[in-house]
Amino acid sequence: MKIKNKLLKYIILLTAFNNQLFSQDTINKKILWTTDWSSDGKFMAIGGNLDTLKIYSEKNLKSYKSFPIKSTITRIKWHPLKNSIAVATQLSEDKSCIINLDTDERIELNGISPGGARGIDWNYTGEYLVVADNDGQILIYNMKGTLIRSFKNENSKGVTAADWHPKKNILITVSDKIRLFDFEGNLLKSIKHRPEEVMLLSVAWHKSGSFFVTGDYGDKQDKSLLQYWNEQAELLRSIDISKGEYRNLTWNTKGNRLATASDALRVWNSKGKLISEGNSKDYLWGVSWNKQGNRIITSSLEQNIILWNDKAEKILLIE
């Protein structure tokens, strides 16, 4: 009887995690999920469930290119050296892909579960791309989009974000837990980040590789946690000032400022001290720094694209 009860409890929790994964990601609502600034600083990419990946010019903030992608673009990541962008999709007829901005060539990424993916990231050399999908698969591709290996996330149905170590081929995935893997797919560590059953949504290694930061969905009291962890995944600091889930977070090039997207744009230092805060009328989902570290772009629940300075002061609403 105890074994059956434990099994039933596990099934209920797993179902709850998957429901939480999509509960606010309303299919019919038009949301700008994600944004990223190109490594050379010349372009910005925006995606969501508007059936289009849009590329803006940094020079004049006007539309530069667009690519039709049906349904939801969950996350985009520019290659660290090339003018190519990796695109993760879900609930979509179009697969996750790599798009070459110079030639407009699109390479589809095979092997991803039919439910699509939300985690995507290039490794520090740009040689490998990881995609973490909604069925708990972790897939590693080369630059040409060829699948090199895949493995399963431990006891998990759906990964919300993935991030490579900045100096090693070690990666973190987040979902119901924080999990660290090596390049071969060996599980190095698995951590439950808080006592409550709360999904994690975002993760970012610091540029030094000595620590990383995670953001979660929030509990029933709307308490979302931003947490700093050392390289061994030991908790350094936990911060609960946000009323909204931490959809995305990212470091500037120097690594001295972290920008987080939630109920406000917040900028933190490397120790977890809040430096500045910018109010938002709606929940922010995407966030990215420019190359110089003096501008931040955000995308939001209500399709707003906003340019901010490094003090989280609004500069411009981009049309």
Coordinates of all heavy atoms in Angstrom, one line a residue, residues 73-142:
I73 N 7.6 30.5 -30.7 CA 9.0 30.5 -30.5 C 9.3 30.7 -29.0 O 9.0 31.8 -28.5 CB 9.7 31.7 -31.3 CG1 9.4 31.5 -32.8 CG2 11.2 31.7 -31.0 CD1 9.8 32.7 -33.6
T74 N 9.9 29.7 -28.4 CA 10.0 29.8 -26.9 C 11.3 30.5 -26.5 O 11.4 31.1 -25.4 CB 10.0 28.4 -26.3 OG1 10.9 27.6 -27.0 CG2 8.6 27.8 -26.5
R75 N 12.4 30.2 -27.3 CA 13.7 30.8 -26.9 C 14.6 30.9 -28.1 O 14.5 30.1 -29.0 CB 14.4 30.0 -25.8 CG 15.5 30.7 -25.0 CD 16.0 29.9 -23.9 NE 15.0 29.5 -23.0 CZ 14.8 30.2 -21.8 NH1 15.5 31.2 -21.5 NH2 13.8 29.7 -21.0
I76 N 15.4 32.0 -28.2 CA 16.3 32.2 -29.3 C 17.7 32.5 -28.7 O 17.8 33.1 -27.6 CB 15.9 33.3 -30.2 CG1 15.5 34.6 -29.4 CG2 14.7 32.9 -31.1 CD1 15.0 35.7 -30.3
K77 N 18.7 32.0 -29.4 CA 20.1 32.2 -28.9 C 21.0 32.5 -30.1 O 21.1 31.6 -31.0 CB 20.5 31.0 -28.2 CG 21.8 31.2 -27.4 CD 21.5 32.1 -26.2 CE 22.8 32.2 -25.3 NZ 22.5 33.1 -24.1
W78 N 21.6 33.6 -30.1 CA 22.6 34.0 -31.2 C 23.9 33.2 -31.0 O 24.3 33.0 -29.9 CB 22.9 35.5 -31.2 CG 22.8 36.1 -32.6 CD1 23.7 35.9 -33.6 CD2 21.8 36.9 -33.1 NE1 23.3 36.6 -34.7 CE2 22.1 37.2 -34.4 CE3 20.6 37.4 -32.6 CZ2 21.3 38.0 -35.3 CZ3 19.8 38.3 -33.4 CH2 20.2 38.5 -34.7
H79 N 24.5 32.8 -32.2 CA 25.8 32.1 -32.1 C 26.8 33.1 -31.6 O 26.8 34.3 -31.9 CB 26.1 31.6 -33.5 CG 27.3 30.7 -33.5 ND1 28.6 31.2 -33.6 CD2 27.4 29.4 -33.5 CE1 29.4 30.2 -33.6 NE2 28.7 29.0 -33.6
P80 N 27.8 32.6 -30.8 CA 28.8 33.6 -30.2 C 29.7 34.2 -31.2 O 30.3 35.2 -30.9 CB 29.5 32.7 -29.2 CG 29.3 31.3 -29.6 CD 27.9 31.3 -30.3
L81 N 29.9 33.6 -32.4 CA 30.8 34.1 -33.4 C 30.2 34.4 -34.7 O 30.7 35.2 -35.5 CB 32.0 33.1 -33.5 CG 32.8 32.8 -32.3 CD1 33.8 31.6 -32.5 CD2 33.5 34.0 -31.7
K82 N 29.2 33.6 -35.1 CA 28.6 33.7 -36.5 C 27.3 34.5 -36.5 O 26.6 34.6 -35.4 CB 28.5 32.3 -37.1 CG 29.8 31.6 -37.2 CD 29.6 30.2 -37.8 CE 30.9 29.5 -38.0 NZ 31.8 30.2 -39.0
N83 N 26.9 34.9 -37.7 CA 25.6 35.6 -37.8 C 24.5 34.5 -38.0 O 23.8 34.5 -39.0 CB 25.7 36.5 -39.0 CG 24.5 37.5 -39.0 OD1 24.0 37.8 -37.9 ND2 24.2 38.1 -40.1
S84 N 24.4 33.7 -37.0 CA 23.3 32.6 -37.1 C 22.6 32.6 -35.7 O 23.2 33.0 -34.7 CB 24.0 31.2 -37.3 OG 24.5 31.1 -38.6
I85 N 21.4 32.2 -35.7 CA 20.6 32.2 -34.5 C 19.9 30.8 -34.4 O 19.4 30.2 -35.4 CB 19.5 33.3 -34.6 CG1 18.9 33.5 -33.2 CG2 18.5 33.2 -35.7 CD1 18.1 34.8 -33.1
A86 N 19.9 30.3 -33.2 CA 19.2 29.0 -32.9 C 17.9 29.4 -32.3 O 17.7 30.3 -31.5 CB 20.0 28.2 -31.9
V87 N 16.8 28.6 -32.8 CA 15.5 28.9 -32.4 C 14.8 27.7 -31.9 O 14.8 26.6 -32.5 CB 14.7 29.4 -33.7 CG1 13.2 29.7 -33.3 CG2 15.4 30.6 -34.3
A88 N 14.2 27.8 -30.7 CA 13.5 26.7 -30.1 C 12.0 27.0 -30.2 O 11.5 28.1 -30.0 CB 13.8 26.5 -28.6
T89 N 11.2 26.0 -30.6 CA 9.8 26.1 -30.8 C 9.0 25.0 -30.1 O 9.5 24.0 -29.8 CB 9.4 26.0 -32.3 OG1 9.7 24.7 -32.8 CG2 10.1 27.0 -33.2
Q90 N 7.7 25.4 -29.8 CA 6.8 24.4 -29.2 C 5.4 24.6 -29.8 O 5.1 25.8 -30.3 CB 6.8 24.4 -27.7 CG 6.1 25.6 -27.1 CD 6.1 25.5 -25.6 OE1 6.8 24.8 -24.9 NE2 5.2 26.3 -24.9
L91 N 4.5 23.6 -29.7 CA 3.2 23.7 -30.2 C 3.2 24.3 -31.6 O 2.4 25.2 -32.0 CB 2.3 24.7 -29.3 CG 2.3 24.3 -27.8 CD1 1.6 25.3 -27.0 CD2 1.6 22.9 -27.7
S92 N 4.2 23.8 -32.4 CA 4.4 24.4 -33.7 C 4.6 23.4 -34.8 O 5.0 22.3 -34.6 CB 5.8 25.2 -33.6 OG 6.1 25.7 -34.9
E93 N 4.1 23.8 -36.0 CA 4.3 23.0 -37.2 C 5.8 23.0 -37.6 O 6.3 22.2 -38.4 CB 3.4 23.4 -38.3 CG 1.9 23.2 -38.0 CD 1.0 23.8 -39.1 OE1 1.5 23.8 -40.3 OE2 -0.1 24.2 -38.9
D94 N 6.5 24.1 -37.3 CA 7.9 24.3 -37.6 C 8.8 23.8 -36.5 O 8.6 24.2 -35.4 CB 8.1 25.8 -37.9 CG 7.4 26.3 -39.2 OD1 7.3 25.5 -40.1 OD2 6.9 27.4 -39.1
K95 N 9.8 23.1 -36.9 CA 10.7 22.5 -35.9 C 11.7 23.6 -35.4 O 11.8 24.6 -36.0 CB 11.5 21.4 -36.5 CG 10.7 20.1 -36.9 CD 11.6 19.1 -37.5 CE 10.9 17.8 -37.8 NZ 11.7 16.8 -38.4
S96 N 12.3 23.3 -34.2 CA 13.4 24.1 -33.8 C 14.4 24.1 -34.9 O 14.6 23.1 -35.6 CB 13.9 23.5 -32.5 OG 13.0 23.6 -31.4
C97 N 15.2 25.1 -35.0 CA 16.1 25.2 -36.1 C 17.3 26.2 -35.9 O 17.3 26.9 -34.8 CB 15.3 25.7 -37.3 SG 14.6 27.4 -37.1
I98 N 18.2 26.2 -36.8 CA 19.3 27.2 -36.9 C 19.1 28.0 -38.2 O 18.9 27.4 -39.2 CB 20.7 26.5 -36.9 CG1 20.9 25.6 -35.7 CG2 21.8 27.5 -37.0 CD1 22.1 24.7 -35.8
I99 N 19.1 29.3 -38.0 CA 18.9 30.2 -39.2 C 20.2 31.0 -39.4 O 20.7 31.6 -38.5 CB 17.7 31.1 -39.0 CG1 16.4 30.3 -38.8 CG2 17.6 32.1 -40.2 CD1 15.2 31.1 -38.5
N100 N 20.7 30.9 -40.7 CA 21.8 31.7 -41.1 C 21.3 33.1 -41.6 O 20.6 33.1 -42.6 CB 22.6 31.0 -42.2 CG 23.9 31.7 -42.5 OD1 23.9 32.9 -42.7 ND2 25.0 30.9 -42.7
L101 N 21.6 34.1 -40.9 CA 21.1 35.5 -41.2 C 21.7 36.0 -42.5 O 21.2 36.9 -43.1 CB 21.3 36.4 -40.1 CG 20.2 36.5 -39.0 CD1 18.9 37.0 -39.6 CD2 20.0 35.2 -38.3
D102 N 22.9 35.5 -42.9 CA 23.5 36.0 -44.1 C 22.9 35.4 -45.4 O 22.8 36.0 -46.4 CB 25.0 35.7 -44.1 CG 25.8 36.4 -43.0 OD1 25.4 37.6 -42.7 OD2 26.7 35.9 -42.4
T103 N 22.5 34.1 -45.3 CA 22.0 33.4 -46.4 C 20.5 33.1 -46.3 O 19.9 32.7 -47.3 CB 22.7 32.0 -46.6 OG1 22.5 31.2 -45.5 CG2 24.2 32.3 -46.7
D104 N 19.9 33.3 -45.1 CA 18.5 32.9 -44.8 C 18.3 31.4 -44.8 O 17.1 31.0 -44.8 CB 17.6 33.6 -45.8 CG 17.6 35.1 -45.6 OD1 18.1 35.6 -44.6 OD2 17.0 35.8 -46.5
E105 N 19.4 30.6 -44.9 CA 19.2 29.2 -44.8 C 18.7 28.8 -43.4 O 19.1 29.2 -42.4 CB 20.5 28.5 -45.1 CG 20.4 27.0 -45.0 CD 21.8 26.3 -45.0 OE1 22.8 27.0 -44.9 OE2 21.8 25.1 -45.2
R106 N 17.7 27.8 -43.5 CA 17.1 27.3 -42.2 C 17.4 25.8 -42.1 O 17.1 25.1 -43.0 CB 15.6 27.6 -42.2 CG 15.0 27.1 -40.8 CD 13.5 27.3 -40.9 NE 13.0 28.6 -41.2 CZ 11.7 29.0 -41.1 NH1 10.8 28.1 -40.6 NH2 11.4 30.2 -41.4
I107 N 18.1 25.4 -41.0 CA 18.4 24.0 -40.8 C 17.5 23.5 -39.7 O 17.6 23.9 -38.5 CB 19.9 23.8 -40.4 CG1 20.8 24.3 -41.5 CG2 20.2 22.3 -40.2 CD1 22.3 24.3 -41.1
E108 N 16.6 22.5 -40.0 CA 15.7 22.0 -39.0 C 16.5 21.0 -38.1 O 17.4 20.3 -38.6 CB 14.6 21.2 -39.6 CG 13.6 22.2 -40.3 CD 12.3 21.5 -40.8 OE1 12.3 20.2 -40.9 OE2 11.3 22.1 -41.0
L109 N 16.2 21.0 -36.8 CA 16.8 20.1 -35.8 C 15.9 18.9 -35.6 O 14.8 19.0 -35.0 CB 17.1 20.9 -34.5 CG 18.0 22.1 -34.7 CD1 18.1 22.9 -33.4 CD2 19.4 21.8 -35.2
N110 N 16.4 17.7 -36.0 CA 15.6 16.5 -35.9 C 15.9 15.8 -34.5 O 16.9 16.0 -33.9 CB 16.0 15.5 -37.0 CG 15.6 16.1 -38.4 OD1 14.5 16.6 -38.5 ND2 16.5 16.0 -39.3
G111 N 14.9 15.0 -34.1 CA 15.0 14.3 -32.9 C 14.3 14.8 -31.7 O 14.1 14.2 -30.6
I112 N 13.8 16.1 -31.8 CA 13.1 16.7 -30.7 C 11.7 16.2 -30.6 O 11.1 15.9 -31.6 CB 13.1 18.3 -30.9 CG1 14.5 18.8 -30.9 CG2 12.3 19.0 -29.8 CD1 14.7 20.2 -31.4
S113 N 11.2 16.0 -29.4 CA 9.9 15.5 -29.2 C 8.8 16.3 -29.8 O 9.0 17.5 -30.1 CB 9.6 15.4 -27.7 OG 9.4 16.6 -27.1
P114 N 7.7 15.7 -30.2 CA 6.6 16.4 -30.9 C 6.1 17.6 -30.1 O 5.6 18.6 -30.7 CB 5.5 15.4 -31.0 CG 6.2 14.1 -31.0 CD 7.4 14.3 -30.1
G115 N 6.2 17.6 -28.8 CA 5.8 18.8 -28.0 C 6.7 20.0 -28.1 O 6.4 21.0 -27.6
G116 N 7.9 19.8 -28.7 CA 8.8 20.9 -28.9 C 9.7 21.1 -27.7 O 9.9 20.2 -26.9
A117 N 10.3 22.3 -27.6 CA 11.4 22.5 -26.7 C 11.4 24.0 -26.2 O 10.8 24.9 -26.8 CB 12.8 22.3 -27.3
R118 N 12.0 24.2 -25.0 CA 12.1 25.5 -24.4 C 13.5 25.9 -24.0 O 13.8 27.0 -23.8 CB 11.2 25.6 -23.2 CG 9.7 25.5 -23.5 CD 8.8 25.5 -22.3 NE 8.8 26.8 -21.6 CZ 7.9 27.1 -20.7 NH1 7.0 26.3 -20.4 NH2 8.0 28.3 -20.1
G119 N 14.4 24.9 -24.0 CA 15.8 25.2 -23.6 C 16.7 25.1 -24.8 O 16.6 24.1 -25.6
I120 N 17.5 26.1 -25.0 CA 18.5 26.1 -26.2 C 19.7 27.0 -25.9 O 19.5 28.1 -25.3 CB 17.7 26.5 -27.5 CG1 18.5 26.1 -28.7 CG2 17.4 28.0 -27.5 CD1 17.7 26.1 -30.0
D121 N 20.9 26.5 -26.2 CA 22.1 27.3 -25.9 C 23.3 26.8 -26.7 O 23.4 25.6 -26.8 CB 22.4 27.3 -24.4 CG 23.4 28.3 -24.0 OD1 23.4 29.4 -24.6 OD2 24.2 28.1 -23.1
W122 N 24.1 27.7 -27.2 CA 25.4 27.3 -27.8 C 26.4 27.2 -26.7 O 26.4 27.9 -25.7 CB 25.9 28.4 -28.7 CG 25.0 28.7 -29.9 CD1 24.1 29.6 -30.1 CD2 25.0 27.9 -31.1 NE1 23.5 29.5 -31.3 CE2 24.1 28.5 -32.0 CE3 25.7 26.8 -31.6 CZ2 23.8 28.0 -33.3 CZ3 25.5 26.3 -32.9 CH2 24.5 26.9 -33.7
N123 N 27.4 26.3 -26.9 CA 28.5 26.1 -25.9 C 29.4 27.3 -26.1 O 29.3 28.1 -27.0 CB 29.2 24.8 -26.0 CG 30.1 24.7 -27.1 OD1 29.9 25.3 -28.2 ND2 31.2 23.9 -27.0
Y124 N 30.5 27.4 -25.2 CA 31.3 28.6 -25.2 C 32.1 28.8 -26.5 O 32.5 29.9 -26.8 CB 32.2 28.5 -24.0 CG 33.3 27.4 -24.0 CD1 34.6 27.7 -24.2 CD2 33.0 26.1 -23.7 CE1 35.6 26.8 -24.2 CE2 33.9 25.1 -23.7 CZ 35.2 25.4 -24.0 OH 36.2 24.4 -24.0
T125 N 32.4 27.7 -27.2 CA 33.1 27.8 -28.5 C 32.2 28.0 -29.7 O 32.7 28.4 -30.8 CB 34.0 26.6 -28.7 OG1 33.2 25.4 -28.9 CG2 35.0 26.4 -27.6
G126 N 30.9 27.8 -29.5 CA 30.0 27.8 -30.6 C 30.0 26.6 -31.4 O 29.3 26.5 -32.5
E127 N 30.7 25.5 -31.0 CA 30.9 24.3 -31.7 C 29.6 23.4 -31.5 O 29.3 22.6 -32.4 CB 32.1 23.6 -31.2 CG 32.4 22.3 -32.0 CD 33.7 21.6 -31.5 OE1 34.3 22.2 -30.5 OE2 34.1 20.6 -32.1
Y128 N 29.0 23.5 -30.4 CA 27.8 22.6 -30.1 C 26.6 23.4 -29.6 O 26.7 24.5 -29.0 CB 28.2 21.7 -29.0 CG 29.4 20.8 -29.3 CD1 30.6 21.0 -28.6 CD2 29.3 19.8 -30.3 CE1 31.7 20.2 -28.9 CE2 30.4 19.0 -30.6 CZ 31.6 19.2 -29.9 OH 32.7 18.4 -30.2
L129 N 25.5 22.9 -30.0 CA 24.2 23.5 -29.6 C 23.4 22.4 -28.8 O 23.3 21.3 -29.2 CB 23.4 23.9 -30.8 CG 22.0 24.4 -30.6 CD1 22.0 25.8 -30.0 CD2 21.2 24.4 -31.9
V130 N 22.9 22.8 -27.6 CA 22.1 22.0 -26.8 C 20.6 22.4 -27.0 O 20.3 23.6 -27.0 CB 22.5 21.9 -25.3 CG1 22.3 23.3 -24.7 CG2 21.7 20.8 -24.6
V131 N 19.7 21.4 -27.1 CA 18.3 21.7 -27.1 C 17.7 20.8 -26.0 O 18.0 19.6 -26.0 CB 17.6 21.4 -28.4 CG1 16.1 21.6 -28.3 CG2 18.2 22.3 -29.5
A132 N 17.0 21.3 -25.1 CA 16.3 20.6 -24.0 C 14.8 20.6 -24.2 O 14.3 21.7 -24.2 CB 16.7 21.1 -22.6
D133 N 14.2 19.5 -24.4 CA 12.8 19.5 -24.9 C 11.7 19.3 -23.8 O 12.1 19.0 -22.7 CB 12.6 18.7 -26.1 CG 12.6 17.2 -25.9 OD1 12.3 16.8 -24.7 OD2 12.7 16.4 -26.8
N134 N 10.5 19.4 -24.2 CA 9.4 19.3 -23.3 C 9.0 17.8 -22.9 O 8.1 17.6 -22.1 CB 8.1 19.9 -23.9 CG 8.3 21.4 -24.0 OD1 9.1 22.0 -23.3 ND2 7.6 22.1 -24.9
D135 N 9.8 16.9 -23.4 CA 9.7 15.5 -23.0 C 10.8 15.0 -22.1 O 11.0 13.9 -21.8 CB 9.5 14.6 -24.2 CG 9.0 13.2 -23.9 OD1 8.1 13.1 -23.0 OD2 9.5 12.2 -24.4
G136 N 11.7 16.0 -21.8 CA 12.8 15.7 -20.9 C 14.1 15.2 -21.6 O 15.0 14.8 -21.0
Q137 N 14.1 15.3 -22.9 CA 15.3 14.9 -23.7 C 16.2 16.1 -23.7 O 15.8 17.3 -23.8 CB 14.9 14.6 -25.2 CG 14.3 13.3 -25.4 CD 14.3 13.0 -26.9 OE1 15.0 12.2 -27.5 NE2 13.4 13.7 -27.6
I138 N 17.5 15.7 -23.7 CA 18.6 16.7 -23.9 C 19.4 16.3 -25.2 O 19.9 15.2 -25.2 CB 19.5 16.8 -22.7 CG1 18.7 17.3 -21.5 CG2 20.6 17.8 -23.0 CD1 19.3 17.0 -20.2
L139 N 19.4 17.1 -26.2 CA 20.0 16.8 -27.5 C 21.1 17.7 -27.8 O 21.0 18.9 -27.6 CB 18.9 16.8 -28.6 CG 17.6 16.0 -28.3 CD1 16.5 17.0 -27.9 CD2 17.2 15.3 -29.5
I140 N 22.2 17.2 -28.2 CA 23.4 18.0 -28.6 C 23.7 17.9 -30.1 O 23.8 16.8 -30.6 CB 24.6 17.6 -27.8 CG1 24.4 17.8 -26.3 CG2 25.9 18.4 -28.2 CD1 25.5 17.4 -25.4
Y141 N 23.8 19.0 -30.7 CA 24.0 19.1 -32.2 C 25.3 19.8 -32.5 O 25.8 20.6 -31.6 CB 22.9 19.9 -32.9 CG 21.5 19.4 -32.7 CD1 20.7 19.7 -31.5 CD2 20.9 18.5 -33.6 CE1 19.5 19.2 -31.3 CE2 19.6 18.0 -33.4 CZ 18.9 18.4 -32.3 OH 17.6 17.9 -32.1
N142 N 25.9 19.6 -33.7 CA 27.0 20.4 -34.1 C 26.5 21.6 -34.8 O 25.3 21.8 -34.9 CB 28.0 19.6 -34.9 CG 27.4 19.1 -36.3 OD1 26.3 19.6 -36.7 ND2 28.0 18.2 -36.9

